[in-house]
Amino acid sequence: MTPSERRSAILHLLCIRRHDTASNLAEQFGVSERTIRADLVALSCYYPIHSCGGVTLEEYTWLT
């Protein structure tokens, strides 16, 4: 899985779950927590993702 594919999958999971942990995401994708944190930093440039005490995707209006 490429980083782009993983980030897309992370975003998809957060849309469903709304909240998760970096540890859980790292285990699910078979990467380190550091890699997940880097993915979250990249995603947070475009989406309202916050990672304080877990990872949360805030309400977001998707543009069509």
Side-chain angles (χ1 to χ4, degrees):
M1 177 178 282
T2 68
S4 178
E5 291 170 332
R6 184 179 57 249
R7 290 172 186 161
S8 179
I10 290 169
L11 184 60
H12 177 75
L13 285 177
L14 289 175
C15 284
I16 294 168
R17 297 179 187 162
R18 288 306 205 200
H19 184 80
D20 210 333
T21 64
S23 174
N24 188 44
L25 291 169
E27 184 177 323
Q28 183 162 359
F29 289 102
V31 297
S32 69
E33 285 185 48
R34 184 175 179 177
T35 298
I36 292 296
R37 285 190 199 97
D39 289 339
L40 294 172
V41 167
L43 287 169
S44 68
C45 291
Y46 304 100
Y47 303 99
I49 293 175
H50 302 281
S51 57
C52 182
V55 181
T56 304
L57 178 65
E58 298 295 326
E59 291 296 321
Y60 184 73
T61 302
W62 298 94
L63 300 176
T64 55

